[in-house]
Amino acid sequence: MKKIINDPDTVVADALLGIEEAYPQLRVDHENKVVYRGDERRPGKVGLVSGGGSGHEPLHGGFVGLGMLDAACAGEVFTSPVPDQMIAATKLVDDGAGVLQIVKNYTGDVMNFEMAAEMAAAETGVEVVSVVTDDDVAVQDSTFTAGRRGVGVTVLLEKIVGAAAEEGRDLAAVAELARKVNGNGRSMGLALTSCTVPAAGKPTFEIGEDEMELGVGIHGEPGRERVPMASAKEMAQLLVEPVLADLPFGSGDGVIAFVNGLGGTPLLELYVLYHEVRSILDQHGIGVARSLVGNYITSLDMAGASVTLLKADDELVGLWDAPVSTPGLRWGA
Amino acid sequence: MSVPDVRSWIDRFAELVHAERDRLTELDAAVGDADHGSNLDRGMKAAAAAAGELGDAAPGELLKKVGMTLVSTVGGASGPLYGTLFLRMGASLGEATDVDGPAFAAALRAGLVGVAARGKAEVGDKTLLDALTPAVDELDAVLAEGASLSEALGRASTAADAGRDATEPLVARKGRASYLGERSAGHQDPGATSVALLVAAAAQTL
C-alpha cells in the first residue's frame, strides 16, 4: 500500500507539525500531542476536550476552534490517547467553568478518559464531566457487547455543544445538551474497501471486488454482514432504513442529515448517495432542516460512507447555525 | 517480601511479555486490533526501568510507580486495566516495608476489584478477569490452608493458566472482540494470556 509518509512510527507526530503550520490560529503541544485554540481565552467558558485514536481526520484536531472544541488529544493511529494527554489538555483549556470531555464509545477511550477525569480532578480541582457518544446502530445485542460505537454523531455533537459553550452555558447545561444530541442521533456505515494502518502496511480486512461490509466500524471493525455490491440507491436503503427504525424517526420529524465519507470515496459519489438518502427521507415525510456532506470522520483510506440522522428541534438547529471557525467546519464567523 | 522481590517480579513479567510479544499480538489480531504484545512490551520495559530508578522505596510505592508508568505508556484498554491493577495493589500495601503472604494476597484482591470496576466486566466475559479471578481465589484458598506464599503462587499460576485456556470457547462480551459476537469464540483471549504471565512471574520470583 502506497502512503505519503516518512516513517510509520512518526506519522502522528509528523502530521501534527503540518497541522500547526497550516493553521496559525491553532497551537500544538507536541509532547502531549494536544491541538488547542490559540485565540483569546474566555474566562468563565466551559472547556471542551475531545480526542481519540488518529486516522479519523479532520476529527478531532480539525474541529478545534471558535464554536467547537477547545482542545483535541491525538492518540496513535486507531489507539486511544493516554490520560497524561487529556490531563494536559484539561489544564490548557480550563477557564474556571469546568471541562466537558467528549468521548467516543470504545473500551480504551472510555477507560483512559475516565482515569484522566479522576486524575485531573485530584491534581487540579477542575470539575470534569464526560459524555460518551454511542450512535452506531450496526452494533446489535449492545447489552452483551462493549455497546454501540461512537461515530458520526460525534461531529454534529462537537459543533452543537461547541456553540452552546461559546454562548456561555454552564457545565451542567452543556453536558445535558451533549446527552440530548447523542440520544437523538443514529448512524450506520458501509465499507467498499478496507483501510490500511500505516504501521501494519497491509489492509485490515480482506473484501472482494463484488462485496461490501454493511455496518462497518471506523477502525475496520466487522459490521452486521457482508453483502453483494449494490447501487447508490440500494446502499442508501441499507443505511437509512435501520437508522430510521432505531430511534425511531417518523413522519413530521425534522433532522440534520449527514452523509460522511470514510476517506477513500470521492465527494462526487457522496453527493450521489446524499440525493438517494434525501429521496428516502422524503418518502417517509421526514424534513431535512440542515445537511452536511463530506469527509469528516474518516477511517484512513477506507472507501465507503456513513449516514447520520439527528432529530433536531429549533434549539439544535439554532446552535448548528451559530458561527464556527475550525479547519474542518467553517461558517458565519 | 521486600522491594528487591517486587522488583524481580516486575522484571520477570517484563521478560515474559517480551518473549511472548509476538504470540500476544497474534492472539489479538484474531479478535482485536493486533497490538496487545507490542503495547504491553513497550509499557513493561518502561515500567521495569521506572521501578529500577526508584531506589529503596516501599513495595507499595514501587507498584504505584509501575501502575502510573503503564497508564502513561500502554494506551488502548490494557493501559488503564494493568495500570489500575498495580495502582490498587500499591494503595493496598501502603507504606509497609515488609509484605507477608496475606498482605500480598489482599493487595492482589484489591487490584482485581479495581480492574473489574474499571472494565465493568465479570468472569465469563472473555477478558483478563477470567485468568486473574481464579488465580486470586486460589491464592487465598491455599494461603488459608497454611501454605507458604511461594507454594500458593505456584497453585495460583496453575489456576490462571486453566482460566486462560478456558477463554477459548467463550463469546466476548467486552472490548473490541465483543463486536465479533459469535465469531470471537474459538480464540484464546490475549488479556487473559498476558495476565497468566503476570501470575507465573510472581510464582517464579516471590
Side-chain angles (χ1 to χ4, degrees):
Chain A
M1 173 58 66
K2 292 185 275 191
K3 289 192 179 284
I4 305 177
I5 59 176
N6 294 316
D7 177 348
D9 290 339
T10 61
V11 67
V12 175
D14 293 350
L16 287 171
L17 291 171
I19 286 171
E20 185 178 37
E21 286 157 352
Y23 306 107
Q25 70 274 27
L26 299 182
R27 301 282 176 274
V28 177
D29 170 349
H30 292 282
E31 189 195 337
N32 289 301
K33 296 191 168 69
V34 175
V35 178
Y36 62 103
R37 283 169 70 166
D39 54 342
E40 206 177 322
R41 300 290 289 269
R42 294 261 312 275
K45 177 188 169 304
V46 170
L48 294 192
V49 171
S50 190
S54 294
H56 307 302
E57 292 70 24
L59 186 92
H60 294 274
F63 298 138
V64 174
L66 174 81
M68 233 168 147
L69 299 176
D70 294 292
C73 309
E76 290 306 311
V77 173
F78 292 176
T79 300
S80 168
V82 297
D84 302 33
Q85 296 176 263
M86 296 126 182
I87 294 167
T90 300
K91 289 178 183 167
L92 283 168
V93 309
D94 170 39
D95 275 321
V99 169
L100 181 77
Q101 296 180 334
I102 299 166
V103 186
K104 302 189 300 302
N105 189 33
Y106 299 94
T107 305
D109 293 65
V110 170
M111 285 195 265
N112 280 285
F113 271 100
E114 192 180 286
M115 291 198 86
E118 290 168 14
M119 291 156 79
E123 199 180 313
T124 64
V126 181
E127 192 182 354
V128 181
V129 173
S130 289
V131 171
V132 176
T133 59
D134 59 350
D135 52 304
D136 187 353
V137 306
V139 179
Q140 292 165 311
D141 297 329
S142 53
T143 45
F144 302 106
T145 64
R148 288 181 166 180
R149 301 176 287 237
V151 285
V153 152
T154 316
V155 176
L156 308 183
L157 187 149
E158 289 177 358
K159 165 66 190 87
I160 289 168
V161 171
E166 211 72 54
E167 262 181 11
R169 294 195 199 180
D170 67 19
L171 181 58
V174 169
E176 185 55 38
L177 176 70
R179 289 186 202 101
K180 172 179 167 178
V181 172
N182 184 56
N184 282 291
R186 297 290 188 278
S187 303
M188 177 100 156
L190 63 79
L192 308 182
T193 67
S194 172
C195 50
T196 297
V197 175
K202 56 179 203 277
T204 304
F205 59 88
E206 296 299 323
I207 186 163
E209 272 299 306
D210 54 349
E211 300 176 307
M212 52 188 193
E213 181 76 23
L214 181 62
V216 74
I218 55 171
H219 311 91
E221 304 97 312
R224 284 187 175 187
E225 54 182 331
R226 194 60 69 86
V227 298
M229 209 25 218
S231 66
K233 191 183 189 73
E234 290 163 308
M235 286 183 201
Q237 287 278 348
L238 290 169
L239 294 177
V240 174
E241 294 297 347
V243 166
L244 289 179
D246 196 84
L247 191 56
F249 296 83
S251 182
D253 284 339
V255 298
I256 295 176
F258 172 27
V259 166
N260 173 63
L262 292 174
T265 287
L267 204 45
L268 184 76
E269 295 172 26
L270 297 181
Y271 288 127
V272 173
L273 180 64
Y274 180 73
H275 170 68
E276 299 301 342
V277 168
R278 191 72 185 244
S279 303
I280 298 170
L281 295 178
D282 286 349
Q283 287 160 24
H284 284 273
I286 293 167
V288 175
R290 298 291 183 271
S291 56
L292 182 68
V293 182
N295 294 286
Y296 293 103
I297 172 169
T298 59
S299 181
L300 294 168
D301 51 352
M302 183 185 284
S306 63
V307 172
T308 299
L309 298 178
L310 171 64
K311 196 183 284 193
D313 55 17
D314 290 345
E315 181 196 23
L316 299 191
V317 173
L319 291 165
W320 179 257
D321 288 343
V324 60
S325 178
T326 70
L329 285 183
R330 185 191 302 246
W331 58 72
Chain B
M1 91 190 53
S2 58
V3 165
D5 302 318
V6 177
R7 203 169 274 143
S8 324
W9 174 36
I10 298 306
D11 287 345
R12 184 68 189 138
F13 179 47
E15 285 166 18
L16 291 178
V17 167
H18 185 68
E20 294 293 315
R21 171 194 159 116
D22 292 346
R23 163 88 176 136
L24 292 171
T25 290
E26 203 178 291
L27 289 170
D28 193 27
V31 293
D33 53 354
D35 61 5
H36 187 53
S38 46
N39 287 349
L40 197 57
D41 184 33
R42 183 181 61 239
M44 280 311 300
K45 266 193 192 124
E53 286 163 12
L54 213 57
D56 53 358
E61 276 176 68
L62 193 133
L63 291 174
K64 274 191 203 166
K65 183 74 184 172
V66 168
M68 287 303 296
T69 308
L70 291 175
V71 168
S72 302
T73 54
V74 177
S78 306
L81 291 172
Y82 270 101
T84 299
L85 175 65
F86 285 107
L87 285 169
R88 295 292 171 90
M89 284 192 80
S92 169
L93 293 178
E95 289 169 13
T97 48
D98 195 35
V99 176
D100 61 9
F104 181 82
L108 200 58
R109 172 73 64 187
L112 169 68
V113 170
V115 170
R118 178 72 63 207
K120 297 174 184 71
E122 46 191 78
V123 170
D125 285 347
K126 197 176 181 110
T127 71
L128 61 85
L129 289 182
D130 291 328
L132 189 57
T133 306
V136 175
D137 288 347
E138 184 72 1
L139 183 63
D140 282 344
V142 179
L143 284 175
E145 291 166 11
S148 68
L149 178 62
S150 161
E151 188 192 341
L153 282 169
R155 284 176 49 188
S157 178
T158 306
D161 289 351
R164 170 201 67 199
D165 294 345
T167 60
E168 189 174 322
L170 297 177
V171 173
R173 285 194 294 242
K174 290 288 166 190
R176 200 170 276 189
S178 70
Y179 301 129
L180 288 165
E182 299 290 335
R183 285 179 279 173
S184 63
H187 300 283
Q188 184 176 305
D189 180 63
T193 307
S194 60
V195 99
L197 298 176
L198 177 72
V199 184
Q204 291 164 22
T205 54
L206 296 178

